[in-house]
Amino acid sequence: MAKVLKGIKLRLYPNQHQVDQLWQMFGNNRFVWNQMLAMAKEGYRNNPSSHFVNEYGMNYLLKPLKQEYPFLKQNDSTSLQVVNHDLAQSFKMLFKHQGGYPRFKSKWAIKQSYTGRSICQVIANRRMKLPKLGSIRTSKTGRVAGLKIKRYTINYDSTGRYYLSLQVEVSAPQALLKTGKKVGLDVGIANLAISSDGIKYKTFNAKWLKKQAIRWQSKYSRRRHRATIAVRQWNHNHKTLKAELDDYQNWQRARIQKARYQQRIANRRKDYLHKLTTNLVKQYDVIVIEDLKTKNLQHNHHLAKAIANASWYDFRTMLAYKCAWHGKELIVVKPNYTSQICSNCGHHSGPKPLAVREWTCSQCGTHHDRDINAAVNILHKGLKAGG
């Protein structure tokens, strides 16, 4: 039976000793990244024509590095190899002109993580055994019972919580029953997706949560500004005992509260997108969507926030892998002129302002809803391209 890789995310509840271990491992991974990057930069500075040290070469350097810095032995050894792999991939992307130059990692970054390839085991209900950490309390271990874990990642995010992300190997989902239906989808802002059948799916909106997130964002900015002023005044008046920004906890509480509201919004949006895409894959055998360059569209500052909230990229990504899993077909077409062409007679009526939501074809007299007409044209394009 075919196998596919799937991601599962669990909440971690480490004790104080395990928290100290986690932060030591976060720091060790960051240290290895910075050391390898510094050596690569120094080697290029001394001899620009020299060959780049690849992943195998960096792994060879790990042994002398551990001898020089014994604290690196506190890490899962595979996590340091993953650091080298990620750095080598960053340089490969740089050489292909698909990414920027790798940067040094800071210990002041709010989000911290490390990844390993060692064996993780479920040892009891809501208990897992992780390399170097031993038995640790988690959530919902039933989701990974009996599955082969390929790699694991432990994250600390801006909400102050720890998460365990697992890449597991599972049997490929069964193909869904064929319905014989085909649909074209036009994405928008007020409505996330408009189908060629005339159905409009609303964009996710959580007004109350957004208001709370904005409110706590303001509190965070104000409290941090006050703490910064207080630190400067204290350090100016006291030459021996210096204060630091982290000594003022009030702004950090606001940061965590703000981050938790933002995470709740993100989680609810993701849940909405999962339910919507699953429903579409169950209903239709062929789904045609437009190939939009979201990053380019976000250069329009009037629409950037609304486009980001709509999450077009996540919507397309979910449709892609769910169609592949369940034996359905996803066709991606270029969106050129789809809102300007009459879906009834094919007459090209020319560009229209965004404010124009309905129009009548001057050739055949058909009255169109702009979005539904675009979705029908997208469907026609996809069926023509797919044969």
Side-chain angles (χ1 to χ4, degrees):
M1 186 178 289
K3 299 287 185 179
V4 296
L5 295 178
K6 183 179 180 181
I8 296 177
K9 190 173 183 179
L10 306 177
R11 175 86 180 272
L12 281 185
Y13 301 93
N15 57 37
Q16 188 55 52
H17 177 65
Q18 290 168 335
V19 167
D20 296 338
Q21 284 182 289
L22 283 171
W23 281 95
Q24 178 67 47
M25 289 190 273
F26 292 152
N28 290 353
N29 276 35
R30 183 177 61 248
F31 178 81
V32 170
W33 172 282
N34 291 343
Q35 286 289 314
M36 294 298 178
L37 180 56
M39 282 190 279
K41 295 183 75 170
E42 186 66 24
Y44 179 77
R45 188 182 299 113
N46 294 335
N47 185 7
S49 62
S50 63
H51 289 287
F52 166 71
V53 179
N54 59 16
E55 181 180 347
Y56 177 81
M58 287 190 285
N59 286 339
Y60 182 78
L61 294 173
L62 276 179
K63 186 174 181 179
L65 200 63
K66 286 182 180 179
Q67 292 173 347
E68 185 176 357
Y69 302 100
F71 57 82
L72 295 178
K73 296 178 182 178
Q74 299 178 31
N75 267 54
D76 173 9
S77 60
T78 62
S79 69
L80 303 181
Q81 295 171 4
V82 171
V83 171
N84 290 340
H85 173 77
D86 292 342
L87 182 58
Q89 290 299 314
S90 297
F91 275 109
K92 285 182 181 179
M93 297 297 286
L94 172 67
F95 299 148
K96 293 179 181 178
H97 305 286
Q98 294 178 353
Y101 198 91
R103 294 184 293 180
F104 291 106
K105 294 186 177 181
S106 170
K107 68 177 181 179
W108 303 113
I110 294 174
K111 295 183 180 180
Q112 300 286 342
S113 68
Y114 77 90
T115 300
R117 300 194 189 105
S118 297
I119 297 174
C120 305
Q121 294 177 331
V122 178
I123 56 176
N125 186 28
R126 297 178 182 262
R127 280 265 168 196
M128 289 195 68
K129 185 178 180 182
L130 299 181
K132 299 293 183 178
L133 293 170
S135 174
I136 188 169
R137 192 160 71 94
T138 69
S139 65
K140 301 180 181 178
T141 48
R143 298 172 61 191
V144 296
L147 299 179
K148 183 179 180 180
I149 299 173
K150 305 289 286 186
R151 65 163 56 191
Y152 70 95
T153 300
I154 297 180
N155 299 284
Y156 173 82
D157 66 11
S158 56
T159 64
R161 295 167 178 158
Y162 296 87
Y163 291 94
L164 174 65
S165 299
L166 301 171
Q167 186 186 75
V168 298
E169 191 177 70
V170 299
S171 300
Q174 293 182 351
L176 294 172
L177 294 175
K178 300 294 184 180
T179 62
K181 295 182 180 179
K182 303 175 182 179
V183 70
L185 295 178
D186 177 54
V187 296
I189 294 175
N191 296 298
L192 172 62
I194 302 90
S195 75
S196 54
D197 296 339
I199 303 172
K200 296 185 178 182
Y201 301 96
K202 292 290 185 182
T203 301
F204 169 79
N205 193 6
K207 291 184 179 179
W208 181 81
L209 283 175
K210 288 179 181 178
K211 286 181 180 178
Q212 292 297 317
I214 293 170
R215 177 168 165 261
W216 279 100
Q217 176 70 55
S218 299
K219 283 188 178 184
Y220 164 74
S221 300
R222 186 165 58 249
R223 291 179 185 182
R224 182 178 171 85
H225 176 67
R226 290 174 181 172
T228 304
I229 293 174
V231 167
R232 289 175 180 172
Q233 290 176 344
W234 174 273
N235 291 341
H236 178 74
N237 297 326
H238 299 78
K239 301 302 180 184
T240 54
L241 186 61
K242 297 292 184 180
E244 294 184 1
L245 194 60
D246 289 345
D247 296 333
Y248 294 79
Q249 299 297 313
N250 202 26
W251 69 274
Q252 294 189 37
R253 285 193 292 270
R255 174 184 62 77
I256 291 174
Q257 192 67 30
K258 176 251 311 183
R260 288 181 178 176
Y261 275 114
Q262 291 172 341
Q263 188 185 62
R264 286 174 67 185
I265 293 170
N267 289 344
R268 292 192 182 188
R269 181 188 294 112
K270 186 176 290 186
D271 179 69
Y272 174 77
L273 290 174
H274 271 299
K275 290 176 179 176
L276 174 57
T277 51
T278 300
N279 183 44
L280 288 170
V281 171
K282 286 180 178 179
Q283 284 189 60
Y284 301 102
D285 292 346
V286 178
I287 301 174
V288 187
I289 60 173
E290 49 189 337
D291 184 17
L292 291 177
K293 305 298 182 184
T294 307
K295 185 176 287 188
N296 296 341
L297 292 171
Q298 285 184 318
H299 291 162
N300 183 339
H301 299 298
H302 297 288
L303 300 175
K305 184 177 179 180
I307 292 171
N309 180 63
S311 298
W312 293 343
Y313 178 79
D314 291 339
F315 178 70
R316 173 177 166 177
T317 303
M318 290 179 184
L319 278 178
Y321 77 75
K322 289 180 182 181
C323 284
W325 277 3
H326 299 293
K328 301 300 180 77
E329 185 179 4
L330 180 70
I331 302 174
V332 181
V333 299
K334 292 184 178 180
N336 300 354
Y337 312 116
T338 51
S339 61
Q340 302 175 20
I341 297 173
C342 173
S343 58
N344 185 50
C345 68
H347 174 66
H348 194 297
S349 61
K352 302 171 186 63
L354 284 175
V356 177
R357 308 314 304 170
E358 296 182 4
W359 56 280
T360 302
C361 177
S362 58
Q363 194 76 13
C364 66
T366 305
H367 186 73
H368 293 293
D369 179 290
R370 179 190 182 114
D371 297 326
I372 296 175
N373 176 70
V376 174
N377 284 329
I378 289 169
L379 176 61
H380 291 165
K381 273 193 173 186
L383 295 179
K384 187 177 180 181

